[in-house]
Amino acid sequence: MTISWLQAAILGIFASLSSMPGMGGSSIGNYTLGRPLVGGLVCGLILGDVSLGIICGVAMQLVYIALVTPGGTVSADVRAVSYIGIPLAMVAIKSQGISDAQQAADFAKSMGVLVGTLGTVLFYGTATMNLVWQHMGWKAVEQGEYKKLYAVDWYLPWVSHFLFSFLPTLILCRYGADAVTALKDALPMDGLPMKTLFTVGSLLPCVGIAILLKQIVEKVTDFVPFFVGFTLAASLGLNLVSSAVVSLIFALLFYEVQMAKNVKASAVAVGDFDDDDEEDI
């Protein structure tokens, strides 16, 4: 598998749309197109192997499942993960002749982590250049030249995305594919470096899931619904969609119990209020 200039350019456009600060907006760009789960499908369509693209996307999504950007603090940027990491992982998997889906997923996870740091650099580069346009906007406001704000808001940020999203994706996808092919000749599948890469890749989803648990688990009993999903998958052989459907009954039960508690608390509060009124009389 190779990546042509046209394919690399299309990947660069999607990287620009999904970058953060988002050229395509936060909801559609960063939180939809930028997710590896969606990026895998897009890359698969562009490179002509949808199944492999989805395998790589799902694998990388597990690693970055708990990725958040509080206050602009970014540990990894998904534009590089989705539109640089996934295409290069697809090329590497094809070059290595990996046909097993699990091995392909483990390899993709390692590639995703490698380019995640690059995405952080691209994020701060975009944000820093946008500060230049912001300064120009404030200067235009001070001088009363409000029409210049259209350029500041709509056109100049495209320059930032061109330099820090489109160009890096274009160059890395086009020439990185050749480097990946050369890597295949230098590192055989049965060598220690490749075995280490697969081993590390298979463990990386644990990091993403652990971070997610740290965010949602507040007490020990919160682990119970979490482990129910694993039990359904292991005992009944249910996939993710089926487990999600089964979990709806638990969500409904939790909702009904919480609503009952709220009604009871409201009734108690009203009763206390009436008692106070009677004592005052």
Side-chain angles (χ1 to χ4, degrees):
M1 176 183 287
T2 58
I3 300 177
S4 66
W5 282 108
L6 177 60
Q7 290 171 324
I10 297 174
L11 291 170
I13 292 173
F14 275 96
S16 299
L17 291 173
S18 62
S19 60
M20 190 72 179
M23 183 177 176
S26 296
S27 299
I28 297 176
N30 184 259
Y31 290 108
T32 302
L33 293 176
R35 300 299 103 175
L37 191 62
V38 179
L41 173 62
V42 174
C43 292
L45 291 172
I46 294 173
L47 300 182
D49 194 335
V50 176
S51 60
L52 181 58
I54 292 176
I55 289 173
C56 294
V58 171
M60 293 187 187
Q61 183 68 63
L62 285 174
V63 180
Y64 294 98
I65 193 171
L67 179 65
V68 292
T69 55
T73 302
V74 178
S75 58
D77 189 84
V78 289
R79 92 186 75 176
V81 175
S82 297
Y83 296 105
I84 297 177
I86 292 178
L88 294 183
M90 292 174 65
V91 172
I93 290 169
K94 284 290 187 180
S95 299
Q96 294 284 2
I98 301 173
S99 57
D100 181 71
Q102 185 59 51
Q103 284 189 339
D106 292 341
F107 190 91
K109 296 166 194 170
S110 301
M111 291 290 292
V113 173
L114 290 175
V115 299
T117 305
L118 171 63
T120 305
V121 176
L122 298 179
F123 168 84
Y124 286 114
T126 305
T128 301
M129 177 157 281
N130 283 342
L131 290 176
V132 177
W133 317 137
Q134 185 182 40
H135 176 72
M136 294 173 60
W138 280 113
K139 189 174 181 180
V141 170
E142 292 173 355
Q143 296 176 353
E145 299 175 342
Y146 299 110
K147 290 185 178 180
K148 289 186 177 181
L149 295 179
Y150 289 105
V152 173
D153 289 338
W154 292 96
Y155 303 114
L156 292 179
W158 289 24
V159 178
S160 305
H161 290 294
F162 179 80
L163 293 177
F164 291 100
S165 294
F166 181 82
L167 278 183
T169 304
L170 176 72
I171 295 172
L172 289 174
C173 286
R174 179 63 184 89
Y175 292 109
D178 297 332
V180 168
T181 304
L183 184 67
K184 170 237 179 184
D185 299 328
L187 299 176
M189 284 291 295
D190 56 351
L192 180 61
M194 292 303 296
K195 289 182 178 179
T196 303
L197 199 62
F198 280 117
T199 303
V200 173
S202 63
L203 297 175
L204 286 174
C206 297
V207 178
I209 295 173
I211 296 174
L212 184 63
L213 277 176
K214 189 175 180 181
Q215 294 176 358
I216 63 176
V217 172
E218 298 180 354
K219 53 185 181 296
V220 177
T221 54
D222 290 340
F223 280 103
V224 176
F226 180 77
F227 289 125
V228 166
F230 283 97
T231 304
L232 291 173
S235 302
L236 303 179
L238 299 180
N239 58 26
L240 185 61
V241 176
S242 301
S243 298
V245 173
V246 173
S247 68
L248 290 176
I249 184 62
F250 295 100
L252 181 61
L253 289 174
F254 279 119
Y255 173 77
E256 295 292 346
V257 170
Q258 187 61 46
M259 291 300 295
K261 289 181 179 179
N262 293 341
V263 171
K264 184 177 180 180
S266 300
V268 171
V270 171
D272 292 341
F273 179 77
D274 292 340
D275 291 342
D276 293 339
D277 288 345
E278 291 177 359
E279 291 176 0
D280 292 339
I281 292 173

